Amino acid sequence: MVDRTAVAPGETPPFKHLGTGRLFYPQEVGYGEFAVMAGIDDEYLYLAGSNITGVKLARTPDTPSSLADRNQY
């Protein structure tokens, strides 16, 4: 797990891929590619993605076990 507060702006965090390394598939909205927001309510991590119909928002509980579980979004 990467501490998102320890990564400097513009720096690439050291990711480790779980399973296939893919949480969302090419035909789906790429949540997290547009923006990732944390600390809004100290309970959820918000991921924004976009497609031809506009910007989409997904959220998951901000816990290590739920971040890589697509059933939590």
Side-chain angles (χ1 to χ4, degrees):
M1 180 76 178
V2 175
D3 178 2
R4 65 180 174 274
T5 62
V7 179
E11 182 180 329
T12 302
F15 287 111
K16 292 184 179 177
H17 292 287
L18 303 173
T20 63
R22 183 179 299 266
L23 187 58
F24 301 105
Y25 295 92
Q27 68 274 18
E28 297 176 318
V29 174
Y31 291 103
E33 292 178 1
F34 188 79
V36 176
M37 298 157 284
I40 295 172
D41 56 13
D42 294 328
E43 189 173 340
Y44 292 97
L45 178 69
Y46 295 87
L47 293 89
S50 64
N51 64 13
I52 60 170
T53 63
V55 176
K56 312 294 183 192
L57 185 66
R59 73 177 190 174
T60 186
D62 195 4
T63 62
S65 62
S66 66
L67 296 178
D69 181 358
R70 71 178 275 130
N71 294 322
Q72 296 292 319
Y73 287 83

